[in-house]
Amino acid sequence: MTEKKKKDFTMIHNSLIYHVADFGLNDLDFYIIVKVESHHFKKEDDPFPSNNLIAKSIGVSPKSIERSSRKMVGLGYLKRAGGGRKPWWNFQSLFDILKCYKTPTWESELEMVRARVKDYKTKTSVSELKNSNSDKKK
């Protein structure tokens, strides 16, 4: 495949498409993932789009993008660093879960995701969720 053809499409795992609600995500969250991933191949010199750029291309406010990204961080799917003009987006933990799709461990992975989503929805803040997750690891 030529380099140009690789840049003409973005692959999204079917398990995310079919189970987006099971992951506690809504359409905006899903679309942000798609936009960020498509941007990685759009411009090699600037692979991480800003909240403003994503918001403008989707037709929502930058605050909506920020709320959605905070939720995905709280659910453990997204790691973000930086800010302003060049934020860093990393969905690797979400993609690691999706790699299990149609394997013997998929059902148990999905159940763990559902439990995490349920736990997230009962917490009052992302920091409270992070604290409870770090307590479980000890």
Coordinates of all heavy atoms in Angstrom, one line a residue, residues 21-90:
A21 N -21.5 1.8 23.7 CA -22.3 2.0 24.9 C -21.8 1.2 26.1 O -21.8 1.7 27.2 CB -23.8 1.8 24.7
D22 N -21.4 0.0 25.8 CA -20.9 -0.9 26.9 C -19.6 -0.3 27.5 O -19.3 -0.5 28.6 CB -20.5 -2.3 26.4 CG -21.8 -3.1 26.0 OD1 -22.8 -2.9 26.7 OD2 -21.7 -4.0 25.2
F23 N -18.9 0.5 26.7 CA -17.7 1.1 27.2 C -18.0 2.4 27.9 O -17.1 3.1 28.3 CB -16.7 1.4 26.0 CG -16.0 0.2 25.6 CD1 -16.5 -0.7 24.7 CD2 -14.7 -0.1 26.0 CE1 -15.8 -1.8 24.3 CE2 -14.0 -1.2 25.7 CZ -14.6 -2.1 24.8
G24 N -19.2 2.8 28.0 CA -19.6 4.0 28.7 C -19.4 5.3 27.9 O -19.3 6.4 28.4
L25 N -19.3 5.1 26.6 CA -19.1 6.2 25.6 C -20.3 6.5 24.9 O -21.2 5.7 24.6 CB -17.9 5.8 24.7 CG -16.6 5.4 25.3 CD1 -15.7 4.8 24.2 CD2 -16.0 6.5 26.1
N26 N -20.4 7.8 24.5 CA -21.5 8.2 23.6 C -21.0 8.6 22.2 O -19.8 8.4 22.0 CB -22.2 9.4 24.3 CG -21.3 10.6 24.5 OD1 -20.4 10.9 23.8 ND2 -21.6 11.3 25.6
D27 N -21.9 9.1 21.4 CA -21.5 9.4 20.0 C -20.4 10.4 20.0 O -19.5 10.3 19.1 CB -22.7 9.9 19.2 CG -23.7 8.7 19.0 OD1 -23.3 7.6 19.1 OD2 -24.8 9.0 18.6
L28 N -20.4 11.4 20.8 CA -19.4 12.5 20.8 C -18.0 11.9 21.2 O -17.0 12.1 20.5 CB -19.7 13.6 21.7 CG -18.7 14.7 21.9 CD1 -18.4 15.4 20.5 CD2 -19.1 15.7 22.9
D29 N -18.0 11.0 22.2 CA -16.8 10.4 22.6 C -16.2 9.6 21.5 O -15.0 9.6 21.2 CB -17.0 9.5 23.8 CG -17.6 10.1 25.0 OD1 -17.4 11.3 25.2 OD2 -18.4 9.5 25.7
F30 N -17.0 8.8 20.8 CA -16.6 8.0 19.7 C -16.1 8.8 18.6 O -15.0 8.5 18.0 CB -17.8 7.1 19.2 CG -17.5 6.3 18.0 CD1 -16.8 5.1 18.1 CD2 -17.9 6.7 16.8 CE1 -16.5 4.3 17.0 CE2 -17.6 5.9 15.6 CZ -16.9 4.7 15.8
Y31 N -16.8 9.9 18.3 CA -16.3 10.7 17.2 C -15.0 11.4 17.5 O -14.1 11.6 16.6 CB -17.4 11.8 16.8 CG -17.2 12.3 15.4 CD1 -17.3 11.5 14.3 CD2 -17.0 13.6 15.2 CE1 -17.1 11.9 13.0 CE2 -16.8 14.1 13.9 CZ -16.9 13.3 12.8 OH -16.7 13.8 11.6
I32 N -14.8 11.8 18.7 CA -13.5 12.4 19.1 C -12.4 11.4 18.9 O -11.3 11.7 18.4 CB -13.5 12.8 20.6 CG1 -14.4 14.1 20.7 CG2 -12.1 13.1 21.1 CD1 -14.8 14.4 22.2
I33 N -12.6 10.1 19.3 CA -11.6 9.1 19.1 C -11.3 9.0 17.6 O -10.1 8.9 17.2 CB -12.1 7.7 19.6 CG1 -12.2 7.8 21.2 CG2 -11.1 6.6 19.2 CD1 -13.0 6.6 21.8
V34 N -12.3 8.9 16.8 CA -12.1 8.8 15.3 C -11.3 10.0 14.8 O -10.4 9.9 14.0 CB -13.4 8.7 14.6 CG1 -13.3 8.8 13.1 CG2 -14.1 7.4 15.0
K35 N -11.7 11.3 15.2 CA -11.0 12.5 14.8 C -9.6 12.5 15.2 O -8.7 12.8 14.4 CB -11.7 13.7 15.3 CG -13.1 14.0 14.7 CD -13.0 14.2 13.2 CE -12.7 15.6 12.9 NZ -12.7 15.9 11.4
V36 N -9.3 12.1 16.4 CA -7.9 12.1 16.9 C -7.1 11.1 16.1 O -6.0 11.4 15.7 CB -7.8 11.9 18.4 CG1 -6.4 11.6 18.9 CG2 -8.4 13.0 19.2
E37 N -7.6 9.9 16.0 CA -6.9 8.9 15.2 C -6.7 9.3 13.8 O -5.6 9.0 13.2 CB -7.6 7.5 15.4 CG -7.5 6.9 16.7 CD -6.1 6.8 17.2 OE1 -5.3 6.1 16.5 OE2 -5.7 7.4 18.2
S38 N -7.7 9.9 13.2 CA -7.5 10.3 11.8 C -6.4 11.4 11.6 O -5.7 11.5 10.7 CB -8.8 10.7 11.2 OG -9.2 12.0 11.7
H39 N -6.4 12.2 12.7 CA -5.4 13.3 12.6 C -4.0 12.8 12.7 O -3.0 13.5 12.2 CB -5.7 14.3 13.8 CG -5.2 15.7 13.5 ND1 -5.7 16.5 12.6 CD2 -4.1 16.3 14.0 CE1 -5.0 17.6 12.6 NE2 -4.0 17.5 13.4
H40 N -3.8 11.7 13.4 CA -2.4 11.1 13.5 C -1.7 10.9 12.2 O -0.5 11.0 12.1 CB -2.4 9.8 14.3 CG -2.6 10.0 15.7 ND1 -1.8 9.4 16.7 CD2 -3.5 10.7 16.4 CE1 -2.2 9.7 17.9 NE2 -3.3 10.5 17.8
F41 N -2.5 10.6 11.1 CA -2.0 10.4 9.8 C -2.1 11.5 8.9 O -1.7 11.5 7.8 CB -2.6 9.1 9.2 CG -2.4 7.9 10.1 CD1 -3.3 7.4 10.9 CD2 -1.1 7.3 10.1 CE1 -3.1 6.3 11.7 CE2 -0.8 6.2 10.8 CZ -1.8 5.7 11.7
K42 N -2.8 12.6 9.3 CA -3.0 13.7 8.5 C -1.8 14.6 8.3 O -1.5 15.0 7.3 CB -4.2 14.5 9.0 CG -4.7 15.6 8.2 CD -5.9 16.3 8.8 CE -6.4 17.4 7.9 NZ -7.5 18.1 8.5
K43 N -1.2 14.9 9.5 CA 0.0 15.8 9.5 C 1.0 15.2 10.4 O 0.9 15.2 11.6 CB -0.4 17.2 10.0 CG -1.4 17.9 9.1 CD -2.0 19.1 9.7 CE -1.0 20.1 10.1 NZ -1.6 21.3 10.7
E44 N 2.1 14.7 9.8 CA 3.1 14.1 10.7 C 3.8 15.1 11.6 O 4.2 14.7 12.7 CB 4.2 13.4 9.8 CG 3.9 12.0 9.4 CD 2.8 11.9 8.4 OE1 2.9 12.5 7.3 OE2 1.8 11.3 8.7
D45 N 3.8 16.3 11.2 CA 4.5 17.3 12.1 C 3.6 17.8 13.2 O 4.1 18.4 14.1 CB 5.0 18.5 11.3 CG 3.8 19.2 10.5 OD1 2.8 18.5 10.2 OD2 3.9 20.4 10.3
D46 N 2.3 17.5 13.2 CA 1.4 17.9 14.3 C 0.3 16.8 14.5 O -0.8 17.0 14.1 CB 0.8 19.2 13.9 CG -0.1 19.8 15.0 OD1 0.0 19.3 16.2 OD2 -0.9 20.7 14.8
P47 N 0.7 15.7 15.0 CA -0.3 14.6 15.1 C -1.4 14.7 16.2 O -2.2 13.9 16.3 CB 0.6 13.3 15.3 CG 1.7 13.9 16.1 CD 2.0 15.3 15.5
F48 N -1.3 15.7 17.0 CA -2.2 15.8 18.2 C -3.0 17.1 18.0 O -2.6 18.2 18.3 CB -1.5 15.8 19.5 CG -0.6 14.5 19.6 CD1 0.7 14.6 19.6 CD2 -1.2 13.3 19.7 CE1 1.5 13.5 19.7 CE2 -0.5 12.1 19.8 CZ 0.9 12.2 19.8
P49 N -4.3 16.9 17.6 CA -5.1 18.1 17.4 C -5.6 18.8 18.8 O -5.7 18.1 19.8 CB -6.3 17.6 16.7 CG -6.4 16.1 17.1 CD -5.0 15.7 17.3
S50 N -5.8 20.1 18.7 CA -6.3 20.8 19.9 C -7.8 20.6 20.1 O -8.5 20.1 19.1 CB -6.0 22.3 19.7 OG -6.8 22.8 18.7
N51 N -8.2 20.9 21.3 CA -9.7 20.8 21.5 C -10.4 21.7 20.6 O -11.5 21.3 20.1 CB -10.0 21.2 23.0 CG -9.5 20.2 24.0 OD1 -9.1 19.1 23.6 ND2 -9.6 20.6 25.3
N52 N -9.9 22.9 20.3 CA -10.6 23.8 19.4 C -10.7 23.3 18.0 O -11.7 23.4 17.4 CB -9.8 25.2 19.4 CG -10.0 26.0 20.7 OD1 -10.9 25.7 21.4 ND2 -9.0 26.9 20.9
L53 N -9.6 22.7 17.5 CA -9.7 22.1 16.2 C -10.7 21.0 16.1 O -11.5 20.9 15.1 CB -8.3 21.6 15.8 CG -8.2 21.0 14.4 CD1 -8.3 22.1 13.4 CD2 -6.8 20.3 14.2
I54 N -10.7 20.1 17.1 CA -11.7 19.0 17.1 C -13.1 19.6 17.2 O -14.0 19.2 16.4 CB -11.4 18.0 18.2 CG1 -10.1 17.3 18.0 CG2 -12.5 17.0 18.3 CD1 -9.6 16.4 19.1
A55 N -13.3 20.5 18.1 CA -14.6 21.1 18.3 C -15.1 21.7 17.0 O -16.3 21.5 16.6 CB -14.6 22.1 19.4
K56 N -14.3 22.5 16.4 CA -14.7 23.1 15.1 C -15.1 22.1 14.0 O -16.1 22.3 13.4 CB -13.5 24.0 14.6 CG -13.9 24.9 13.4 CD -12.8 25.8 13.1 CE -13.1 26.6 11.8 NZ -12.1 27.5 11.4
S57 N -14.3 21.0 13.9 CA -14.6 20.1 12.9 C -15.8 19.2 13.2 O -16.5 18.8 12.2 CB -13.4 19.1 12.6 OG -13.2 18.3 13.7
I58 N -16.2 19.1 14.4 CA -17.4 18.3 14.8 C -18.6 19.2 14.9 O -19.7 18.7 14.7 CB -17.1 17.6 16.2 CG1 -16.0 16.5 16.0 CG2 -18.4 16.9 16.7 CD1 -15.6 15.9 17.3
G59 N -18.4 20.5 15.2 CA -19.5 21.4 15.4 C -20.1 21.5 16.8 O -21.3 21.6 17.0
V60 N -19.1 21.3 17.8 CA -19.5 21.4 19.2 C -18.6 22.4 19.8 O -17.6 22.9 19.2 CB -19.5 20.1 19.9 CG1 -20.5 19.1 19.3 CG2 -18.1 19.5 19.9
S61 N -18.8 22.7 21.1 CA -17.9 23.7 21.8 C -16.6 23.0 22.3 O -16.6 21.8 22.5 CB -18.6 24.3 23.0 OG -18.8 23.4 24.0
P62 N -15.5 23.7 22.4 CA -14.3 23.2 23.0 C -14.6 22.6 24.4 O -13.9 21.6 24.8 CB -13.3 24.3 23.1 CG -13.8 25.2 22.0 CD -15.3 25.1 22.0
K63 N -15.5 23.2 25.2 CA -15.9 22.7 26.5 C -16.4 21.3 26.4 O -16.2 20.5 27.3 CB -16.9 23.6 27.2 CG -16.3 24.8 27.9 CD -15.7 24.3 29.2 CE -15.5 25.4 30.1 NZ -14.4 25.2 31.0
S64 N -17.2 21.0 25.4 CA -17.7 19.7 25.2 C -16.6 18.7 25.0 O -16.7 17.5 25.5 CB -18.7 19.6 24.0 OG -19.8 20.4 24.2
I65 N -15.6 19.1 24.2 CA -14.5 18.2 24.0 C -13.7 18.0 25.3 O -13.3 16.8 25.6 CB -13.5 18.8 22.9 CG1 -14.3 19.1 21.6 CG2 -12.3 17.9 22.7 CD1 -14.9 17.9 20.9
E66 N -13.6 19.0 26.1 CA -12.9 18.9 27.3 C -13.6 17.9 28.3 O -13.0 17.1 28.9 CB -12.6 20.3 28.0 CG -11.8 20.2 29.2 CD -10.4 19.6 29.0 OE1 -9.8 19.8 28.0 OE2 -9.9 19.0 30.0
R67 N -14.9 18.1 28.4 CA -15.7 17.2 29.3 C -15.6 15.8 28.8 O -15.4 14.9 29.7 CB -17.2 17.7 29.3 CG -17.5 18.8 30.2 CD -19.0 19.0 30.4 NE -19.7 19.3 29.1 CZ -19.9 20.5 28.6 NH1 -19.4 21.5 29.3 NH2 -20.5 20.7 27.5
S68 N -15.7 15.6 27.5 CA -15.6 14.2 27.0 C -14.3 13.6 27.3 O -14.1 12.5 27.7 CB -15.9 14.2 25.5 OG -15.8 12.9 25.0
S69 N -13.2 14.4 27.1 CA -11.9 13.9 27.3 C -11.6 13.6 28.8 O -11.0 12.6 29.1 CB -10.8 14.8 26.7 OG -10.7 16.0 27.4
R70 N -12.2 14.4 29.7 CA -12.1 14.1 31.1 C -12.8 12.8 31.5 O -12.3 12.1 32.3 CB -12.6 15.3 31.9 CG -11.7 16.4 32.2 CD -12.1 17.4 33.3 NE -13.5 17.8 33.2 CZ -13.9 18.9 32.6 NH1 -13.0 19.7 32.1 NH2 -15.2 19.2 32.6
K71 N -13.9 12.6 30.9 CA -14.6 11.4 31.1 C -13.8 10.2 30.7 O -13.7 9.2 31.4 CB -16.0 11.4 30.4 CG -16.7 10.0 30.6 CD -18.1 10.1 30.0 CE -18.1 9.9 28.5 NZ -19.4 9.7 27.9
M72 N -13.2 10.2 29.5 CA -12.4 9.1 28.9 C -11.2 8.9 29.8 O -10.7 7.8 29.9 CB -12.1 9.3 27.5 CG -13.4 9.2 26.6 SD -13.1 9.2 24.8 CE -12.9 10.9 24.5
V73 N -10.6 10.0 30.3 CA -9.5 9.8 31.2 C -9.9 9.1 32.5 O -9.3 8.2 33.0 CB -8.8 11.2 31.6 CG1 -7.9 11.1 32.8 CG2 -8.1 11.8 30.4
G74 N -11.1 9.5 33.0 CA -11.6 8.9 34.3 C -11.9 7.4 34.1 O -11.8 6.6 35.0
L75 N -12.3 7.1 32.9 CA -12.6 5.7 32.6 C -11.4 4.9 32.3 O -11.4 3.6 32.2 CB -13.6 5.6 31.4 CG -15.0 6.0 31.7 CD1 -15.8 6.1 30.4 CD2 -15.7 5.0 32.6
G76 N -10.3 5.5 32.2 CA -9.0 4.9 31.9 C -8.7 4.6 30.5 O -7.8 3.8 30.2
Y77 N -9.4 5.2 29.5 CA -9.2 4.9 28.1 C -8.2 5.9 27.5 O -7.7 5.6 26.5 CB -10.5 5.0 27.3 CG -11.6 4.2 27.8 CD1 -12.9 4.6 27.8 CD2 -11.4 2.9 28.3 CE1 -14.0 3.8 28.2 CE2 -12.4 2.1 28.7 CZ -13.7 2.5 28.7 OH -14.7 1.7 29.1
L78 N -8.1 7.0 28.1 CA -7.3 8.1 27.5 C -6.3 8.6 28.5 O -6.6 8.8 29.7 CB -8.2 9.3 27.1 CG -7.6 10.6 26.6 CD1 -6.8 10.4 25.3 CD2 -8.7 11.6 26.4
K79 N -5.1 8.9 28.0 CA -4.1 9.6 28.8 C -3.8 10.9 28.0 O -3.6 10.9 26.8 CB -2.8 8.8 28.9 CG -3.0 7.6 29.8 CD -1.7 6.8 29.9 CE -2.0 5.5 30.7 NZ -1.0 4.5 30.6
R80 N -3.8 12.0 28.7 CA -3.6 13.3 28.1 C -2.5 14.0 28.8 O -2.4 14.0 30.0 CB -4.8 14.1 28.1 CG -5.8 13.7 27.0 CD -6.8 14.8 26.8 NE -6.3 15.8 26.0 CZ -7.0 16.9 25.7 NH1 -8.2 17.1 26.1 NH2 -6.4 17.9 24.9
A81 N -1.7 14.7 28.1 CA -0.7 15.6 28.6 C -0.6 16.8 27.7 O -1.1 16.9 26.6 CB 0.7 14.9 28.7
G82 N 0.0 17.8 28.3 CA 0.1 19.1 27.5 C -1.2 19.8 27.5 O -2.1 19.5 28.3
G83 N -1.4 20.7 26.7 CA -2.6 21.5 26.6 C -2.4 22.6 25.7 O -1.4 22.7 25.0
G84 N -3.4 23.5 25.6 CA -3.3 24.6 24.8 C -3.2 24.2 23.3 O -4.0 23.4 22.8
R85 N -2.1 24.6 22.7 CA -2.0 24.4 21.3 C -1.6 23.0 20.9 O -1.9 22.5 19.8 CB -0.9 25.3 20.7 CG -1.3 26.8 20.8 CD -0.2 27.7 20.3 NE 0.3 27.2 19.0 CZ 0.2 27.9 17.9 NH1 -0.3 29.1 17.9 NH2 0.7 27.4 16.8
K86 N -0.9 22.2 21.7 CA -0.4 20.9 21.3 C -0.7 19.9 22.4 O 0.2 19.4 23.1 CB 1.1 21.0 21.1 CG 1.5 21.9 20.0 CD 2.2 21.2 18.9 CE 2.6 22.3 17.9 NZ 2.6 21.8 16.6
P87 N -1.9 19.5 22.6 CA -2.2 18.5 23.6 C -1.8 17.1 23.1 O -1.7 16.9 21.9 CB -3.7 18.5 23.8 CG -4.2 19.0 22.5 CD -3.2 20.0 22.0
W88 N -1.5 16.2 24.0 CA -1.1 14.8 23.6 C -2.2 13.9 23.9 O -2.7 13.9 25.0 CB 0.2 14.5 24.5 CG 0.7 13.1 24.3 CD1 1.4 12.6 23.3 CD2 0.6 12.1 25.3 NE1 1.8 11.3 23.5 CE2 1.3 11.0 24.8 CE3 0.0 12.0 26.6 CZ2 1.4 9.8 25.5 CZ3 0.2 10.8 27.3 CH2 0.8 9.7 26.7
W89 N -2.7 13.1 23.0 CA -3.8 12.2 23.1 C -3.3 10.8 23.0 O -2.6 10.5 22.0 CB -4.8 12.4 22.0 CG -5.5 13.7 21.9 CD1 -5.0 14.9 21.4 CD2 -6.8 14.1 22.4 NE1 -5.9 15.9 21.5 CE2 -7.0 15.4 22.1 CE3 -7.8 13.3 22.9 CZ2 -8.2 16.1 22.3 CZ3 -9.0 14.0 23.2 CH2 -9.2 15.3 22.9
N90 N -3.6 9.9 23.9 CA -3.1 8.5 23.9 C -4.3 7.6 24.3 O -4.6 7.6 25.5 CB -1.9 8.3 24.8 CG -1.3 7.0 24.7 OD1 -2.0 6.0 24.3 ND2 -0.1 6.8 25.1

